Amino acid sequence: MAQKPAIPKGTRDFLPTEVAKRNFMFATIKEVFRRYGYAPIETPSFELSSTLLGKYGEEGDRLIFRILNSGEKMRKADLDALAQDNLPRFANSLAEKALRYDLTVPFARFVVQHQNDLTFPFKRYQIQPVWRADRPQHGRYQEFTQCDVDVVGSDALMYEVELVQIFDEVLSKLGLPGFSIQINNRKILSGIAEVCGETARIVDLTVALDKLDKIGDEGVVTELEQKGFTAESIEKIKPLFHFEGTNEAKLNLMRAYLAESEIGLKGLDELSEVFAQINELGLQRGELIFDLTLARGLNYYTGAIFEVKAQGVKMGSICGGGRYDDLTALFGLKGLSGVGISFGADRIYDVMTELSLFPKELDRTLDILFVNFGSEEAKYCMKLLREVRNLGIAAELYPNAAKMQKQFKYANDRNVAYCVVIGAEEAAAGMLSFKNMETGAQEQLSSADFLTKCGQLF
RNA sequence: GAGGUUGUAGCUCAGUUGGUUAGAGCGUCGGAUUGUGGUUCCGAAGGUCGCGGGUUCGAGACCCGUCUUCCUCCCCA
């Protein structure tokens, strides 16, 4: 026997029933995106390394899949860098291309490159796989699909509101019973850093604060101490641990806390505006929550920050996003503000599977099976088959005159709804037997009646 | 990137202190059943024990390496 085949870690094959479910999910998502005025684009699966590197922080760079140069280009390898143990530089000399790590950075590149062809505000959606050289875990893959919606060229808060509505509409339509849409604002985080006198270390501060619900007050304090924060700074951070209550209550507490920080107050104003509008409009199943500890590692966010978690399942965030004012500036186009969100298709799929939210009929890839009795009967079936298929029904004829038991078993395994039996008896009478595979009920029909019935049933 | 964990038939798993020919259930295929499926009964096929090396008279079991699984960090969808 040959060596057993395998696929790389963190990747998966999808069986027909799984693809059907995924397509159902994508169709639902696309339909919502379209109604909000977003149009689809696509970008290459790999970009120049220089496009991606340095955009996701040090951690992110480590997780980017590099594509090894091929052929003579291998000679460009920077052996001096290797000798000096400068592995990043050595890697860069070996790999000029890399698989995309998300859809946001390639989109920023896309906008800059096609700026003269686009009408702003430019609203696009993009559903494509991304790759991360991460350690696989529950709900974490090395290849997974993101569904992004972004709008660039406007800093109107209306879009934050719109994206919250999209979160709510998509996830409600997919049937998630409950989910929290957590929102924060980078300006509020900047304000906190300012109030604490730790503006320079805002990243360390927010990363620690982000873990509050996981490691608790003491854990955060310990982490801050390890990072070298002074006791004085930590004392100023501590009150934040106990800001609880309704969104409004938290906003009010923050307003007092950030009274001295202009940027912090600006962030609060923005957030308040989004809350006010959402309260006016209402949400279906989502709950919008002000989470002042929400930070997210991506350092390009400048305004709103979003994260969505499904209730009732053990799973990390299923969606994320935020506003970025300077992303296109990295590619040479300044003054273009963007805001966008991303649906983690694979995690949402896992959540929906766990909660059994996919419609049953998605398991059906064949509606009608014609039982095969031999070449004469088969010819007759082929004609009927053409009519049935023209009605948009998925139908097929069993390939040979195998035992009926076997043919019905095949129908069962494929979860077929109906079988058509045309043997010598039926053919002689100009009739056919139409069998409901769920109830087992069977009726005799003329071919004309059969087609009429098909039109009604499907 | 750090630490732990897992791998035996298509799937879920047994396999004793190292000892003859590695087992079960489910699934698959064939038959009972030449025009009716899901049930039942009978039978069969299917394994380089993840891969490579080592210890041993002898390794599925012990040791090392490697890949993979799942988990905790890190980070994230």
Side-chain angles (χ1 to χ4, degrees), chain A residues 82-232:
Chain A
L82 181 61
Q84 292 162 20
D85 208 33
N86 187 341
L87 293 181
R89 211 175 89 206
F90 178 62
N92 289 345
S93 70
L94 269 179
E96 292 166 354
K97 300 180 287 288
L99 291 174
R100 64 168 169 248
Y101 176 88
D102 71 359
L103 299 177
T104 306
V105 167
F107 175 53
R109 188 226 86 217
F110 173 98
V111 168
V112 174
Q113 231 176 306
H114 301 283
Q115 52 185 287
N116 294 328
D117 304 315
L118 304 177
T119 305
F120 295 97
F122 178 60
K123 301 174 77 173
R124 81 88 171 82
Y125 75 83
Q126 190 172 354
I127 298 179
Q128 291 191 279
V130 302
W131 295 268
R132 294 184 189 178
D134 216 342
R135 197 67 73 93
Q137 253 178 67
H138 179 59
R140 172 181 297 195
Y141 307 97
Q142 292 208 340
E143 176 181 67
F144 61 99
T145 300
Q146 289 195 326
C147 312
D148 275 31
V149 251
D150 288 78
V151 52
V152 290
S154 167
D155 58 5
L157 283 173
M158 184 191 93
Y159 291 114
E160 272 85 341
V161 174
E162 183 170 289
L163 293 171
V164 169
Q165 287 183 291
I166 291 177
F167 273 140
D168 182 55
E169 193 157 342
V170 165
L171 297 175
S172 295
K173 263 184 183 292
L174 288 175
L176 296 206
F179 49 92
S180 58
I181 304 168
Q182 283 151 319
I183 184 170
N184 195 8
N185 195 297
R186 187 70 170 214
K187 296 188 180 80
I188 291 176
L189 294 170
S190 299
I192 291 172
E194 200 172 281
V195 166
C196 301
E198 294 287 354
T199 313
R201 287 192 287 185
I202 179 169
V203 173
D204 285 343
L205 176 61
T206 56
V207 165
L209 203 51
D210 191 46
K211 295 178 187 168
L212 180 61
D213 57 345
K214 204 171 188 175
I215 60 179
D217 301 13
E218 290 177 21
V220 174
V221 169
T222 308
E223 173 142 347
L224 288 172
E225 284 169 347
Q226 281 170 0
K227 295 278 183 186
F229 282 77
T230 63
E232 194 186 352

Side-chain angles (χ1 to χ4, degrees), chain A residues 157-158 161 272-282:
Chain A
L157 283 173
M158 184 191 93
V161 174
S272 301
E273 178 62 23
V274 173
F275 271 111
Q277 291 200 37
I278 289 295
N279 284 340
E280 194 77 16
L281 292 162

Side-chain angles (χ1 to χ4, degrees), chain A residues 368-371 373 377 380-385 387-388 418-436 441-454 457:
Chain A
I368 299 179
L369 177 74
F370 283 69
V371 175
F373 274 87
E377 290 90 340
Y380 181 68
C381 287
M382 289 300 281
K383 286 181 187 163
L384 265 180
L385 205 44
E387 304 295 330
V388 170
Y418 295 92
C419 279
V420 169
V421 180
I422 305 175
E425 290 170 22
E426 284 88 353
M431 305 290 280
L432 56 79
S433 293
F434 188 56
K435 182 181 173 100
N436 181 323
Q442 190 166 314
E443 57 183 327
Q444 301 283 313
L445 296 172
S446 69
S447 46
D449 287 347
F450 163 66
L451 290 172
T452 309
K453 184 129 193 165
C454 284
L457 285 172

Side-chain angles (χ1 to χ4, degrees), chain A residues 390-440:
Chain A
N390 282 343
L391 290 172
I393 294 166
E396 67 180 38
L397 170 67
Y398 197 82
N400 53 50
K403 282 171 135 182
M404 292 196 74
Q405 189 179 9
K406 186 167 178 164
Q407 299 196 40
F408 276 108
K409 183 164 166 33
Y410 174 80
N412 264 342
D413 291 346
R414 289 204 54 185
N415 196 25
V416 167
Y418 295 92
C419 279
V420 169
V421 180
I422 305 175
E425 290 170 22
E426 284 88 353
M431 305 290 280
L432 56 79
S433 293
F434 188 56
K435 182 181 173 100
N436 181 323
M437 292 300 283
E438 265 168 48
T439 64

